C-alpha cells in the first residue's frame, strides 16, 4: 500500500461551483510555482487536501487542459504543461503586437473613471507584492494589462488577449523569479501607466516595448537555463500545493 501524501494546508472548499474553485486553486499553484512545469497533478492527493471527491478535481484538470495549463497523458494522468523558449517567443511577440496598439487606444479613450481603475489595479498589484503573495501578484499583474486592453474598446482585440490568459499567467509567474523584491514588479508598471496618462503615442509604444521587452529577454534567459530533464523528473514525483 502506497503511503499517503502529507497535507500542505489547502483550505476545504464549499459545495458551490466546485470545479471552478478547484481550477482556480490549481491555477494559483501553477502560476506561483508551487506546481512546477512537468509536475504531476495527483487527483487523489488534491481531493484529499480540499476535502472533496476526485470527480471535480478531474473535471478541473480537464478544464485547465483546455486552457493550455495542463496536458493529459493516457493512463498516467495530468501534468503541468512545460513552456518552451519557442513558446515564450511566440507569446511575447504576439503580446507586443496586442499591447502596443491597446495602450495607444486606451490612452485616446481614457476617462477619469478608467484612469482611476488603472491606478486601483496597480495599487492591487502593490498590495499583493507587499504580502509577497505570488499567486495574487500574477493575477493582479495580468488584470492590469487586461484592463488596458478593455479600455482600448476593441472587443476582438480583448478576446485575442484573453486567449493568451493561461500562458500569460505562467509567464508572469516566471517573471516573479527574477526579482528579489516583489514591489519592483509593481514599480515596473508605473512608466507604462504614466505614458498612457500623458497621451503621447510614441512614448506609450516605447514604454510598452521596454516593459514587455525586458521581461521577454530575461524570462527567455531563465527558460533556457532550465534543464529539459527537470520537467520530466518532476513527472515521477508528487509536487505539493500551498494554500
Amino acid at each position: 500500500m502506497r503511503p499517503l501524501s502529507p497535507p500542505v494546508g489547502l483550505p476545504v472548499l464549499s459545495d458551490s461551483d466546485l470545479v471552478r474553485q478547484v481550477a482556480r486553486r490549481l491555477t494559483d499553484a501553477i502560476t506561483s510555482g508551487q506546481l512546477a512545469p512537468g509536475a504531476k497533478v495527483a487527483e487523489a492527493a488534491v481531493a484529499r487536501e480540499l476535502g472533496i471527491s476526485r470527480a471535480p478535481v478531474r473535471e478541473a484538470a480537464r478544464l485547465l487542459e483546455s486552457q493550455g495549463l495542463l496536458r493529459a497523458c493516457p493512463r498516467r494522468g495530468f501534468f503541468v504543461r512545460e513552456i518552451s523558449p519557442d513558446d515564450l517567443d511566440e507569446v511575447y511577440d504576439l503580446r507586443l503586437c496586442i499591447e502596443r496598439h491597446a495602450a495607444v487606444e486606451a490612452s485616446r479613450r481614457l476617462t477619469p473613471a478608467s484612469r482611476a481603475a488603472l491606478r486601483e489595479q496597480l495599487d492591487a498589484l502593490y498590495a499583493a507584492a507587499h504580502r509577497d503573495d505570488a499567486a495574487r501578484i500574477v493575477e493582479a499583474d495580468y488584470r492590469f494589462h487586461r484592463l488596458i486592453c478593455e479600455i482600448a474598446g476593441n472587443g476582438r482585440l480583448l478576446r485575442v488577449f484573453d486567449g493568451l490568459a493561461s500562458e500569460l499567467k505562467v509567464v508572469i509567474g516566471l517573471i516573479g523569479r527574477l526579482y528579489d523584491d516583489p514591489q519592483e514588479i509593481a514599480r515596473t508598471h508605473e512608466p507604462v501607466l504614466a505614458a498612457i496618462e500623458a497621451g503621447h503615442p510614441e512614448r506609450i509604444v516605447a514604454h510598452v516595448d521596454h516593459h514587455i521587452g525586458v521581461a521577454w529577454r530575461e524570462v527567455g534567459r531563465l527558460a533556457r537555463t532550465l534543464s529539459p530533464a527537470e520537467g520530466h523528473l518532476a513527472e515521477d514525483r508528487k509536487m505539493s500545493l500551498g494554500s
Side-chain angles (χ1 to χ4, degrees), residues 96 136 138 156 177 179 182 192 208:
L96 268 179
R136 298 284 78 77
V138 169
R156 286 178 173 80
R177 300 190 193 184
Y179 293 94
V192 175
V208 169

Side-chain angles (χ1 to χ4, degrees), residues 33-114:
Q34 292 168 301
L35 274 173
K40 182 175 183 178
V41 177
E43 294 177 13
V46 172
R48 186 168 59 254
E49 286 198 55
L50 297 177
I52 58 177
S53 69
R54 294 177 63 169
V57 177
R58 189 175 303 111
E59 289 303 313
R62 288 172 180 159
L63 176 62
L64 295 185
E65 181 192 14
S66 72
Q67 295 175 359
L69 279 178
L70 298 180
R71 58 184 177 84
C73 294
R75 297 181 297 280
R76 297 189 64 195
F78 291 92
F79 296 83
V80 179
R81 180 186 164 194
E82 298 167 90
I83 295 184
S84 70
D86 287 344
D87 291 331
L88 284 173
D89 286 344
E90 289 183 1
V91 168
Y92 271 108
D93 189 31
L94 181 54
R95 185 181 179 187
L96 268 179
C97 294
I98 294 170
E99 295 200 46
R100 283 170 178 158
H101 180 73
V104 171
E105 288 302 307
S107 179
R108 290 173 178 163
R109 293 170 174 264
L110 202 63
T111 65
S114 58

Side-chain angles (χ1 to χ4, degrees), residues 88-240:
L88 284 173
D89 286 344
E90 289 183 1
V91 168
Y92 271 108
D93 189 31
L94 181 54
R95 185 181 179 187
L96 268 179
C97 294
I98 294 170
E99 295 200 46
R100 283 170 178 158
H101 180 73
V104 171
E105 288 302 307
S107 179
R108 290 173 178 163
R109 293 170 174 264
L110 202 63
T111 65
S114 58
R115 180 194 299 260
L118 280 170
R119 170 50 61 183
E120 182 179 346
Q121 187 56 51
L122 185 50
D123 288 344
L125 178 52
Y126 274 112
H130 179 72
R131 295 192 300 270
D132 199 12
D133 185 333
R136 298 284 78 77
I137 289 171
V138 169
E139 187 64 27
D141 192 329
Y142 167 77
R143 290 291 171 188
F144 177 84
H145 289 276
R146 188 187 187 279
L147 184 56
I148 292 173
C149 294
E150 187 177 334
I151 294 170
N154 185 323
R156 286 178 173 80
L157 181 146
L158 183 60
R159 286 196 291 274
V160 172
F161 186 84
D162 283 344
L164 292 173
S166 295
E167 290 176 309
L168 277 180
K169 289 179 181 180
V170 173
V171 167
I172 292 170
L174 289 175
I175 293 172
R177 300 190 193 184
L178 303 173
Y179 293 94
D180 294 328
D181 178 10
Q183 293 284 326
E184 185 60 25
I185 298 174
R187 286 191 289 268
T188 63
H189 292 73
E190 292 283 4
V192 175
L193 177 55
I196 291 173
E197 291 174 331
H200 301 293
E202 296 84 3
R203 293 182 185 175
I204 293 170
V205 171
H207 282 293
V208 169
D209 281 1
H210 179 74
H211 178 73
I212 295 177
V214 168
W216 185 355
R217 182 178 66 248
E218 297 304 322
V219 170
R221 287 178 181 172
L222 175 61
R224 286 171 173 83
T225 64
L226 297 176
S227 168
E230 184 177 318
H232 297 302
L233 288 173
E235 291 184 0
D236 296 319
R237 66 177 184 265
K238 294 179 181 178
M239 304 298 293
S240 63

